[in-house]
Amino acid sequence: MDVKFNNRDPVYVQVIRHFKEQIAKGSFAPGHVIPSRRELANQLKINPNTVQRAYKEMEEQKLIYTEGNMPSCITKDEAVLKSVREELISEAVQVFISSIKSINAPLPEIMELVQKQYEEAEQRD
Amino acid sequence: MDVKFNNRDPVYVQVIRHFKEQIAKGSFAPGHVIPSRRELANQLKINPNTVQRAYKEMEEQKLIYTEGNMPSCITKDEAVLKSVREELISEAVQVFISSIKSINAPLPEIMELVQKQYEEAEQRD
DNA sequence: CATACTGTATTAAGCAGTTAGTACAGAGTA
DNA sequence: TACTCTGTACTAACTGCTTAATACAGTATG
């Protein structure tokens, strides 16, 4: 568990985002146990309440569930897990397109740029 | 002049963004006069100080200039104007790629999505 | 029973963004 | 001259979001 924070977005939002990315990647099996509020807070050097807020929202979105006072777990509902991935992809595509259109940039030319930079990023990994 | 605000980003940031998009589009000729602080504030129903803050930052970035107490104008430096467009494009591409990579989404598949949704958006205009 | 974990709730504090009010200097115009 | 625009500067206060601090209840384990 390792999250790099930016200063712009609220920390709890970034935490949620991080979990969604992991889910989208398939890094979490359904029912997978996630760190307790306090433990994750320790790892990330943030306040337990900030984690709590993130977890609470994830619970409302059915991404995780909590039984009694056991550590929370990733949902077992595979439809939800799948939709997370679709949501992130669709979001990325929409943001991208609206950015491009807002400045009337020609798509083909931009696509080439994406292709090229993607490959460069690929090599850096 | 018409800006639709979201609740997430600061208003003054969105105002700057709006001007940059117009510049990138080529909607503003070099030296083009822009509304006064008070006038734009009236149009957008925001506080003049918020506009002032946006204009001040744009001036620091050399996007606009002000002579005496005349209304501010878009810069005449075409290199700057050009770089705004490049900056926005590069930003959009980078955000997109990092989103895609953070969830290990295969590029070709995503590219198809982009292509498709771009055309759909095209028709809506 | 006691300790140490869980999750949860409530309240306080801090902070960035925004608004509001006021003021001042310069320039054009009736 | 008086009025009305322009930009600029400064301070104060409000607001909502975010984070911090603390406390409480339940459960498992030794």
Side-chain angles (χ1 to χ4, degrees), chain B residues 41-73:
Chain B
N42 256 328
Q43 285 180 26
L44 303 182
K45 313 290 183 201
I46 61 180
N47 192 282
N49 288 320
T50 305
V51 178
Q52 163 63 5
R53 178 153 184 190
Y55 276 24
K56 190 177 179 184
E57 283 212 16
M58 288 197 286
E59 189 138 18
E60 282 166 4
Q61 294 174 33
K62 309 289 183 192
L63 299 180
I64 64 175
Y65 67 92
T66 312
E67 286 171 350
N69 61 345
M70 301 283 287
S72 300
C73 298

Side-chain angles (χ1 to χ4, degrees), chain A residues 10-13 38 46-47 49-50 53 69-70:
Chain A
V11 173
Y12 80 95
V13 170
R38 290 174 178 84
I46 60 179
N47 193 281
N49 287 318
T50 306
R53 177 151 185 192
N69 61 346
M70 303 282 288

Side-chain angles (χ1 to χ4, degrees), chain B residues 13-32:
Chain B
V13 170
Q14 297 181 60
V15 171
I16 296 174
R17 172 88 194 175
H18 179 260
F19 274 92
K20 284 190 175 180
E21 287 177 354
Q22 296 302 311
I23 290 175
K25 266 192 199 172
S27 301
F28 290 144
H32 182 267

Side-chain angles (χ1 to χ4, degrees), chain A residues 103 109-110 113 117, chain B residues 20 23-24 78-93:
Chain A
I103 57 175
E109 182 183 310
I110 303 299
L113 253 179
Q117 291 205 25
Chain B
K20 284 190 175 180
I23 290 175
E78 307 219 13
V80 171
L81 295 178
K82 192 179 166 194
S83 75
V84 168
R85 180 180 171 85
E86 287 164 357
E87 175 197 327
L88 292 190
I89 290 180
S90 149
E91 211 177 271
V93 170

Side-chain angles (χ1 to χ4, degrees), chain A residues 5-19:
Chain A
F5 295 115
N6 65 59
N7 304 326
R8 199 120 216 99
D9 304 309
V11 173
Y12 80 95
V13 170
Q14 297 182 61
V15 171
I16 296 174
R17 172 87 195 175
H18 179 260
F19 274 93

